[in-house]
Amino acid sequence: MRFNVFRDLWCRLAWVLISCQGGLGMGAAPFRAKSEPLNVLLLYADDWRHDTLGCAGHPVVKTPHLDRLAREGVRFSRNAVTTSICGVSRATLFTGQWMSRHGNRGFNAWQTPWEETFPARLRAAGYWVGHVGKWHNGRFPAERFDFGRSYAGRHWIQEADGSRIHVTSKNERDALEFLRKRPSDRPFQLTVAFFAAHAEDGHPQQFLPQPESMALYREARVPVPRTMTESHFSRLPSFLGNETNEGRRRWRWRFDTEDRYQEYMKNYYRLVTEVDEACGRLLRELEQQELLNRTLVVFTTDNGYLHGEHGLADKWYPFEESIRVPLIVRDPRLAPGRRGQVREELTLNVDLAPTLLAAAGLPAAPGMQGRDFAPLYLKRLGRPAWRKAFFYEHPTIQNRDFIPASQAWVSREWKYWFWPEFQRDQLFDLRSDPGEERDLAGETSQARRLSLIRKRFGQLREQAGAASQADPQR
């Protein structure tokens, strides 16, 4: 008890010192005093790719509250994850590290010391820190948070009194409790880790929205992806284009008939809109408490999602649909005339931890590999030089027939894939072939480019700390 009191007093003193030093200021601050700490609300959804937003031009799904967030902030249209799977991506979120450094290759605890994560550093600086919802990194360390509740895996949860509650409603309820009961004299950081729109894998219907959402999209027709054909499936490498691959198995669960495709995608979009509505209620709570213009609000997701493209479902592989995810930031430091930006820099989930810490005037932990991306939208002039490409990595899950390992070098124009267990590489020109349908790796005209990209791939892989798993054939 004595230690906790001492720690609390020290945290408050540390925060006063940070505020007095003006370490929070980064450009114009139209909504708040420069010495005032920014609160941080991280809205973190599941299995939700970059274009599943009204503001991204989606023809069916409605996300009015997130669209408003984008109008009042900035949206990064080329944001991506460094590993497209729930547990690993969440470890990257908290540690600011590639999988190769934090060491979680699935759903277990990462190896990075807790003290080097962004919630730990914020808490040590006096923040009231909370996490509600999905964790997926081994045992949930509730004692590391001031307010911690972890649950996921099902869309409907049995309460202690025997009633049932939808997981998104529970996410919202717990987040509101945090916001209403937090100490009013301390800055806060809350991660709301929605389970939606992840499928309930053990349930035959997969996507289970709330009854009141069933009227949504009833008359709509969800466009079927142009690449969801047997021809496109047959073009995949043989170790992907077979019925033992988990992406193909899940495609058969959800999308192998027109009726099932329409049913499951509409239910998926209903889950998406439910998350959007929950986000809207949390934003209204911040407004009612007069906190919205003192809070950095970030919306993003843990990985993208294949909606049947290439005859596959889910994520894992370096397809654009799998690795690109939404990123919307509403930052009180952003001048009113500069809201609504859409930026195309290659931001990554590995950048989130250092960005959140920088917003609190705190340095990134020494082992963090990402970068603070706030200067990209806050600065008019003198923006930092930014990455032109990044390294993607994904481990084998169970065995190479189930989900094989994959790696990639990704730029805005080109993408190089490497399958280490099969010593197979692929090359795609994203400018002329955004659907990644035509592999150019075997074309003589691309031999020089392929050699150069292989070299760059090796350099980024080494920087991330990844083992080579044998080099691509040269």
Side-chain angles (χ1 to χ4, degrees):
M1 178 67 71
R2 184 175 300 171
F3 171 78
N4 291 336
V5 171
F6 175 77
R7 186 195 67 186
D8 188 60
L9 290 172
W10 169 247
C11 289
R12 290 169 188 254
L13 176 60
W15 181 252
V16 170
L17 291 173
I18 290 170
S19 299
C20 291
Q21 290 170 358
L24 297 172
M26 285 188 62
F31 303 128
R32 65 186 187 88
K34 288 187 178 180
S35 62
E36 187 176 319
L38 272 179
N39 305 304
V40 179
L41 175 61
L42 176 59
L43 304 168
Y44 194 66
D46 199 316
D47 280 358
W48 189 330
R49 74 192 200 191
H50 70 102
D51 58 358
T52 309
L53 292 165
C55 58
H58 197 280
V60 175
V61 73
K62 306 298 182 186
T63 54
H65 302 290
L66 294 174
D67 297 349
R68 172 202 166 186
L69 202 67
R71 288 194 304 271
E72 296 180 356
V74 58
R75 180 169 67 89
F76 286 87
S77 63
R78 303 289 306 191
N79 185 60
V81 295
T82 55
T83 303
S84 184
I85 192 171
C86 305
V88 179
S89 189
R90 290 161 193 275
T92 294
L93 165 71
F94 288 107
T95 65
Q97 298 175 339
W98 263 261
M99 176 186 75
S100 296
R101 180 169 291 185
H102 64 61
N104 179 3
R105 300 179 61 83
F107 313 107
N108 298 314
W110 59 73
Q111 298 170 11
T112 304
W114 177 259
E115 293 72 20
E116 297 179 19
T117 65
F118 85 77
R121 291 173 78 81
L122 288 174
R123 196 178 186 207
Y127 273 75
W128 188 258
V129 177
H131 180 97
V132 300
K134 187 170 179 176
W135 180 250
H136 225 45
N137 276 273
R139 184 188 70 85
F140 177 61
E143 71 280 2
R144 305 283 194 181
F145 295 92
D146 298 300
F147 186 103
R149 295 175 183 174
S150 175
Y151 44 86
R154 294 182 178 274
H155 290 136
W156 290 94
I157 295 174
Q158 193 84 12
E159 296 276 70
D161 62 2
S163 63
R164 292 200 315 159
I165 185 171
H166 195 272
V167 65
T168 301
S169 295
K170 186 171 176 60
N171 293 146
E172 177 190 324
R173 186 184 70 185
D174 289 347
L176 288 173
E177 182 180 343
F178 172 92
L179 292 173
R180 291 167 180 170
K181 294 184 177 180
R182 64 184 173 79
S184 60
D185 61 342
R186 292 173 63 178
F188 69 82
Q189 188 279 315
L190 173 63
T191 299
V192 187
F194 295 99
F195 177 60
H198 195 292
E200 186 171 321
D201 291 334
H203 196 285
Q205 292 178 289
Q206 297 287 284
F207 305 105
L208 307 172
Q210 299 172 62
E212 55 268 30
S213 299
M214 295 307 293
L216 292 170
Y217 313 122
R218 183 171 289 162
E219 304 303 320
R221 183 184 181 276
V222 180
V224 175
R226 184 181 55 80
T227 60
M228 196 177 80
T229 68
E230 289 299 315
S231 172
H232 284 89
F233 180 64
S234 68
R235 297 181 203 176
L236 298 174
S238 59
F239 47 86
L240 284 187
N242 63 71
E243 298 299 326
T244 64
N245 181 272
E246 183 65 3
R248 183 61 169 181
R249 292 178 66 246
R250 296 191 183 199
W251 179 85
R252 290 213 174 276
W253 294 355
R254 303 167 188 165
F255 302 146
D256 65 346
T257 70
E258 171 69 15
D259 287 347
R260 187 164 19 240
Y261 186 86
Q262 294 298 319
E263 175 189 356
Y264 283 26
M265 285 304 303
K266 289 178 184 180
N267 282 338
Y268 172 89
Y269 288 148
R270 289 164 181 144
L271 291 170
V272 164
T273 297
E274 289 173 359
V275 170
D276 178 79
E277 291 172 350
C279 291
R281 283 186 276 271
L282 297 180
L283 294 173
R284 281 197 296 274
E285 180 66 26
L286 291 179
E287 286 182 304
Q288 290 169 4
Q289 294 191 32
E290 299 183 349
L291 289 171
L292 183 57
N293 290 332
R294 290 186 283 150
T295 302
L296 179 72
V297 181
V298 178
F299 173 80
T300 191
T301 71
D302 60 353
N303 49 252
Y305 215 51
L306 287 157
H307 295 162
E309 288 85 359
H310 307 279
L312 299 173
D314 253 89
K315 55 256 184 180
W316 312 308
Y317 309 122
F319 292 108
E320 290 287 278
E321 297 88 354
S322 171
I323 68 174
R324 286 175 60 191
V325 300
L327 176 59
I328 300 173
V329 182
R330 188 190 190 279
D331 191 330
R333 299 168 295 181
L334 186 62
R338 305 189 64 220
R339 302 175 196 166
Q341 298 179 49
V342 178
R343 304 209 60 87
E344 296 186 349
E345 287 91 350
L346 294 178
T347 52
L348 301 172
N349 60 337
V350 77
D351 298 323
L352 286 165
T355 300
L356 301 184
L357 289 171
L362 299 172
M368 288 182 175
Q369 297 170 294
R371 297 176 61 190
D372 173 19
F373 56 71
L376 296 175
Y377 62 83
L378 288 178
K379 290 187 175 183
R380 292 181 181 273
L381 300 173
R383 293 193 184 105
W386 201 252
R387 67 174 65 88
K388 301 298 184 183
F390 67 92
F391 172 69
Y392 175 84
E393 58 181 342
H394 196 289
T396 304
I397 303 296
Q398 291 191 21
N399 57 68
R400 70 180 196 174
D401 295 322
F402 187 74
I403 298 175
S406 57
Q407 298 176 341
W409 177 92
V410 185
S411 75
R412 288 176 55 186
E413 296 82 22
W414 290 88
K415 185 184 292 181
Y416 169 78
W417 301 35
F418 179 56
W419 303 93
E421 293 161 316
F422 300 92
Q423 285 295 288
R424 169 75 182 269
D425 50 13
Q426 296 181 278
L427 182 66
F428 297 98
D429 183 347
L430 298 180
R431 297 164 301 180
S432 62
D433 180 25
E436 298 165 283
E437 301 173 59
R438 184 184 176 195
D439 178 10
L440 303 178
E443 296 199 5
T444 304
S445 62
Q446 299 297 330
R448 186 172 180 275
R449 184 188 307 276
L450 183 61
S451 178
L452 177 61
I453 290 178
R454 280 171 172 165
K455 181 179 180 180
R456 293 173 177 170
F457 164 78
Q459 291 169 343
L460 288 183
R461 182 176 61 184
E462 183 176 357
Q463 290 172 19
S468 67
Q469 293 187 269
D471 287 325
Q473 296 179 10
R474 301 181 183 277

